[in-house]
Amino acid sequence: MKPVIHWFRQDLRLSDNPALVHAVKSGQPVICLYVLDDETPGDWAMGGASRWWLYHSLAALDARLRQTGGGLILRRGEAAKSIQDVIRETGANAIAWNRCYEPFAVARDKALKAELSAQGIAVESCNGALLAEPWEIKTGGGTPFKVYTPFWKALRAQIEPAASLRAPAKMAFHPGVKSDTLKSWKLLPDKPDWSKGFDGTPGEKGAHDALYDFFDHIGGYGTARDIPGTEGTSRLSPHLHFGEISPRQVWHAVRAREASPDGEKFLAEIGWREFNHQLLFHHPHLPTHAYDERFAKMKWRQNDKDFTAWTRGRTGVPIVDAGMRQLWQTGWMHNRVRMIVASFLIKHLLIDWRHGQRWFWDTLVDADLANNAANWQWVAGSGADASPFFRIFNPVLQGGKFDPAGTYVRRFCPELTAVPDKFIHRPWEAPEPPANYPAPIVDLAAGRDRALAAFRALPSR
Ligand SMILES: Cc1cc2nc3c(=O)[nH]c(=O)nc-3n(C[C@H](O)[C@H](O)[C@H](O)COP(=O)(O)OP(=O)(O)OC[C@H]3O[C@@H](n4cnc5c(N)ncnc54)[C@H](O)[C@@H]3O)c2cc1C
């Protein structure tokens, strides 16, 4: 019998995988394929930290497939070409995949579907990554939503996620397909190996463990989620990005266990993920162009020294430095601190949000085109339903409010260990400022005034 290909992409799991279930149900032997395609994404080829996560996630998926008598076939190169190669080599007559929503993925998949269909190959694409397709939820006027709250309300009213699918109990694999070795892809960083402190356990089991660990402290999420010094959030973001768990599985697990305001608040964050994906789908230039076109005229500063200090966590502003060091050391940063460091870069340093977005792209294990672009634009004030530009986070006050005892700051900036709590977020005012910690690279009040002046110079609507 001719084989069917399941093309794994951002769905690195066996359970609740609609395209995989479709392929297995055909009764044909399956080829489980993953293609490392660095060509199609152009500027958005996967960053360094994501590659580390991908390596371990693929290893975990391969191990699971081996338990069921098969394994993962790895190919590298332009995906459309690699798939044609596998079809030619194996005689496969069908392929299934779960949809991705990055503009380059949408264009590639559309062209590939047309090409394969014309060749007589059966193509099935499914929704395995979102609660609702980006084109499903519309305003009364039939247009995509621009504001989050009515979007989430409409999604909740219109969509009742179907039950999650079980992992296929049995799979027949097509034998003898050539595969690269995972090691040969050199996904792990060396020179330097900055991944030693990376957090999280990539893979489907790691994803479910993270969710169930989170259930131990989901009560209180509404407030704990803003405290970076505690484990107040789920840490599901890389698992969701790589599709090691589906939002539908998260939805049902939360609904079954936690019908409380904390559970609802948590699901509302999953709602932001949905909102951002539909934004990117309808506004494919979101990672490169201001959604609010007035911001195209913004006079950004070009200052490599300040930008480097920001990336290294050497700005002299403790909550900013702790966040940037958490990112570098662990591949992840707390959401509250992401907002603070982004605001500091865009507003106090007046550096273009696209530079920050790019740094995050390379250093986050959860780097996600939709979530990264939409959130950077949200902080910049140029996004959809964004925080207004003139609302400028004061990092000293933010630190005092969300890390009052300096637990988080001291964890990542040990130079500040001996600074009294009173001065932990403004060590430059301490009676004895630590000698090995930099003075602030910008005067916070002057930086704020400069940002407001640049903003006022923009054309009004
Ligand atoms: C400047 C900036 C850049 C960001 N870049 C990314 C990115 O590249 N990838 C990414 O997944 N998230 C990004 N976020 C959103 C958010 O910070 C992370 O999703 C969150 O910190 C992940 O931690 P968690 O899984 O413990 O979150 P939880 O609080 O446990 O939330 C559960 C899930 O909801 C989703 N979620 C939570 N907050 C947001 C949000 N603001 N926007 C979209 N989805 C959200 C995530 O999928 C998350 O895993 C960014 C935020 C900012 C301010």
Side-chain angles (χ1 to χ4, degrees), residues 197-230:
F198 279 11
D199 271 355
T201 308
E204 187 167 5
K205 180 173 182 308
H208 287 269
D209 288 350
L211 179 62
Y212 286 93
D213 286 351
F214 174 61
F215 282 143
D216 292 342
H217 57 95
I218 187 172
Y221 171 77
T223 42
R225 65 184 285 274
D226 267 324
I227 312 297
T230 61

Side-chain angles (χ1 to χ4, degrees), residues 33-52:
L33 176 68
Y34 183 87
V35 183
L36 180 63
D37 181 353
D38 284 330
E39 292 163 41
T40 306
D43 284 347
W44 298 109
M46 218 177 277
S50 297
R51 284 172 188 267
W52 174 87

Side-chain angles (χ1 to χ4, degrees), residues 214 221 225 233-237 240 266 269-270 272-273 276 332-335 338-339 342 360 364 366-368 371-372 375-376 379:
F214 174 61
Y221 171 77
R225 65 184 285 274
T233 67
S234 70
R235 306 293 290 260
L236 277 175
S237 48
L240 279 164
F266 177 67
E269 297 306 316
I270 302 290
W272 274 103
R273 178 177 179 274
N276 294 340
W332 185 87
M333 193 197 304
H334 189 277
N335 179 61
R338 291 188 202 200
M339 293 194 285
F360 271 31
L364 276 172
D366 65 21
D368 178 277
N371 284 343
N372 204 24
N375 275 289
W376 273 97
V379 178

Side-chain angles (χ1 to χ4, degrees), residues 319 340 343 348 391-400 444 448:
I319 190 83
I340 297 170
S343 171
H348 286 100
R391 224 170 266 158
I392 297 179
F393 278 162
N394 177 324
V396 175
L397 298 183
Q398 288 283 314
L444 294 177
R448 179 190 151 82

Side-chain angles (χ1 to χ4, degrees), residues 293-305:
E293 287 168 6
R294 284 177 308 153
F295 281 80
K297 296 251 174 344
M298 190 70 155
K299 293 265 181 287
W300 300 110
R301 285 172 69 235
Q302 271 292 349
N303 190 311
D304 292 349
K305 202 163 149 243

